[in-house]
Amino acid sequence: MSQQFEAKRDTLRSKMSVRNYYAHMGISPALWELADKVLKNLRERFEAIDEIAQVNQLKVLHAMQKNRISAEHFNGSTGYGYNDAGRDDLEKVYADVFHTEDALVRSQITCGTHALSLALAANLRPGDEMVSVSGKPYDTLEEVIGIRPSRGSLAEYGITYRQVELKEDGSFDFDAIRSSLGPKTRIAAIQRSKGYLTRPSLSVDEIGEVIHMIKTIRPDIIVMVDNCYGEFVDTVEPSDYGADMTVGSLIKNPGGGLAPMGGYIAGTRECVENCAVRLTSPGLGREVGASLQINRSFYQGLFLAPTVTAGALKGAIFAAALFERFGYHCIPDARSPRNDIIQAIEFKTPQGLRAFCEGIQAAAPVDSYVTPEPWAMPGYDSDVIMAAGAFIQGSSIELSADGPLHEPYAAYFQGGLTWEHARFGILKAAQRLADKGIIQIGRE
Ligand SMILES: *Cc1c(COP(=O)(O)O)cnc(C)c1O
């Protein structure tokens, strides 16, 4: 080998090292060094996440093989959508993944809120009562239920609502739950992820224990779990503990980043059938609903979902570990077990929150050149800043961050279609804080 070539090769290889490429993308060597140190400490955590992803990958694979998924399943339907094997067998695959009798997985379910609203409205009747046993539900459900008066809410149909707060430490209040179950109680709702609250997210085992208690004393009560952001974070899902309906959005974990829309409800035959007739129409139910060309992305997204979720989890843990070094309060902290893919970081100042979101935006594959600005959002009492450079509008399995501009100026960070992207985005955000003089790297 000529000396000249050797020199050329070494220059090229050095230029393309991770460290230098990070520098090329605007990350200072000091930050890179620090991040590298933080990452080395996370190795065991990451291995455990890979093991969970492995189980979930096999779970999905098994469900697809069992249902003999073939190329024909990717042919869509139009019009009424009768005899759409791709659509119908996808629902069998979901039922097998969640170990339920049945599932409804549809592009006509427009988002997570819609899926939850559908599950509730389809299974409640006038005079029934719904109890949230995990405290205040996700913001958008307040209007669904009618906690905030709203056109078309369950309250307008004579369905009443009760709420049992979580205990101070974020755990279920078993005694209060037991005494909240009355003769009218028809649905008990549980939310796995904290959403935009700073309570801890609930583990599947904790949820399982509540389901067990409710079913022991009142087997007639339908238990619904809002599973948003929780799918594939663990090897076990709430449905494995007997939840009658496990509900979520396809532009979060189970869509694997490929589903461009949609929602799912996995559960008992009875509950899912009620959802089907409510989604379309009595008498028609699940027989209709053209899938157009969407089946392939639903299947392929589900197939990728375990690894995509694992990458997002690694990103969340890495973000907590790094930002704790800079003295920020992270929820959950870097050492806690994970029950969803959301990471909250309290910046304490609007400048910090803004810089973080700007960094996440600047790291995006799409719209990286725009600067996110706080703006007023319906349902929020202060401006909200959002960073999202996503392939799918609003997709929060893709790397994204948002936060309301009020105390404690917390950024809610989630997603990342690949761990490599999440890793870079987190460093880009930290670099932005450093560039603005909000943090000092090397002095943490
Ligand atoms: C995202 C989410 C929802 C539903 O949100 P959509 O934006 O309507 O998809 C409901 N509950 C929780 C906990 C969520 O994270």
Side-chain angles (χ1 to χ4, degrees):
M1 199 182 291
S2 81
Q3 271 185 355
Q4 216 180 357
F5 174 73
E6 254 179 68
K8 190 174 178 168
R9 180 199 62 193
D10 292 349
T11 310
L12 180 62
R13 287 288 160 193
S14 153
K15 189 174 144 198
M16 298 310 284
S17 69
V18 188
R19 182 201 180 85
N20 283 336
Y21 222 94
Y22 264 93
H24 176 61
M25 298 286 277
I27 305 302
S28 74
L31 177 56
W32 195 84
E33 290 291 342
L34 173 65
D36 200 44
K37 233 187 297 172
V38 168
L39 270 180
K40 287 206 167 89
N41 290 329
L42 294 174
R43 215 171 269 162
E44 267 179 45
R45 270 322 275 286
F46 283 17
E47 276 171 21
I49 290 171
D50 290 336
E51 289 296 298
I52 292 172
Q54 177 68 79
V55 171
N56 286 323
Q57 184 69 81
L58 296 180
K59 206 195 276 183
V60 170
L61 193 57
H62 180 255
M64 288 189 181
Q65 293 179 346
K66 181 183 162 205
N67 288 287
R68 302 174 65 89
I69 302 311
S70 71
E72 269 123 65
H73 286 90
F74 307 143
N75 298 336
S77 61
T78 56
Y80 294 110
Y82 292 134
N83 304 316
D84 188 330
R87 178 198 66 203
D88 295 346
D89 287 350
L90 177 72
E91 296 182 328
K92 292 183 189 144
V93 168
Y94 262 73
D96 284 331
V97 165
F98 285 93
H99 304 127
T100 52
E101 289 173 358
D102 204 352
L104 191 67
V105 186
R106 299 281 165 135
S107 59
Q108 288 87 3
I109 300 176
T110 57
C111 60
T113 304
H114 185 194
L116 290 157
S117 173
L118 174 64
L120 292 169
N123 286 283
L124 290 162
R125 295 291 178 270
D128 285 348
E129 184 159 83
M130 154 190 184
V131 184
S132 166
V133 301
S134 52
K136 185 184 122 36
Y138 195 71
D139 267 347
T140 55
L141 285 190
E142 295 194 347
E143 286 185 83
V144 169
I145 297 164
I147 301 170
R148 273 185 284 143
S150 192
R151 187 194 301 269
S153 69
L154 295 172
E156 282 195 349
Y157 288 86
I159 291 154
T160 53
Y161 173 75
R162 235 180 233 267
Q163 183 171 312
V164 181
E165 300 304 328
L166 293 169
K167 292 203 287 201
E168 198 85 7
D169 63 358
S171 65
F172 286 109
D173 189 338
F174 284 87
D175 293 334
I177 293 171
R178 201 174 291 117
S179 54
S180 76
L181 306 176
K184 291 183 3 176
T185 310
R186 182 76 186 125
I187 288 188
I190 302 170
Q191 184 179 312
R192 180 171 174 182
S193 167
K194 62 180 164 295
Y196 295 115
L197 298 171
T198 45
R199 71 154 164 97
S201 293
L202 296 157
S203 74
V204 181
D205 287 344
E206 287 175 283
I207 291 171
E209 198 180 344
V210 167
I211 297 174
H212 179 78
M213 183 199 81
I214 295 173
K215 289 290 181 185
T216 305
I217 53 177
R218 283 286 302 278
D220 59 310
I221 290 178
I222 295 167
V223 178
M224 181 194 83
V225 178
D226 175 351
N227 205 29
C228 282
Y229 286 131
E231 299 90 353
F232 303 129
V233 168
D234 199 342
T235 53
V236 169
E237 300 288 344
S239 46
D240 289 303
Y241 279 119
D244 299 275
M245 289 188 284
T246 299
V247 185
S249 161
L250 298 196
I251 63 166
K252 293 179 180 172
N253 311 13
L258 294 187
M261 59 165 82
Y264 77 91
I265 298 163
T268 63
R269 192 158 291 123
E270 181 71 13
C271 286
V272 171
E273 203 51 45
N274 282 339
C275 294
V277 296
R278 178 76 198 210
L279 174 66
T280 66
S281 159
L284 300 182
R286 64 197 317 160
E287 303 298 319
V288 296
S291 64
L292 303 179
Q293 292 300 313
I294 221 163
N295 287 338
R296 185 198 312 272
S297 7
F298 282 0
Y299 280 106
Q300 202 173 357
L302 178 66
F303 182 72
L304 293 178
T307 37
V308 171
T309 304
L313 265 179
K314 289 177 185 173
I317 292 169
F318 175 52
L322 184 67
F323 280 84
E324 278 178 2
R325 292 275 190 133
F326 302 126
Y328 292 111
H329 183 220
C330 295
I331 306 155
D333 68 41
R335 286 152 303 282
S336 297
R338 297 280 153 164
N339 300 311
D340 62 23
I341 62 167
I342 303 181
Q343 181 62 50
I345 306 170
E346 294 185 354
F347 285 100
K348 301 292 182 207
T349 66
Q351 293 80 7
L353 172 58
R354 287 183 75 143
F356 181 84
C357 290
E358 285 167 16
I360 296 297
Q361 187 75 39
V366 181
D367 293 336
S368 61
Y369 53 87
V370 306
T371 307
E373 287 289 336
W375 59 306
M377 288 254 305
Y380 290 86
D381 52 9
S382 60
D383 287 357
V384 177
I385 185 164
M386 292 193 169
F391 293 98
I392 306 290
Q393 193 193 100
S395 166
S396 43
I397 188 60
E398 298 187 47
L399 195 69
S400 49
D402 38 70
L405 270 279
H406 61 59
E407 287 286 350
Y409 297 100
Y412 294 85
F413 162 84
Q414 66 270 312
L417 291 185
T418 67
W419 149 239
E420 288 75 12
H421 181 221
R423 176 180 170 186
F424 173 65
I426 291 155
L427 287 199
K428 197 81 182 155
Q431 186 68 55
R432 183 65 63 123
L433 271 94
D435 292 347
K436 293 204 161 168
I438 301 167
I439 56 172
Q440 263 104 39
I441 290 156
R443 284 215 239 133
E444 67 285 337

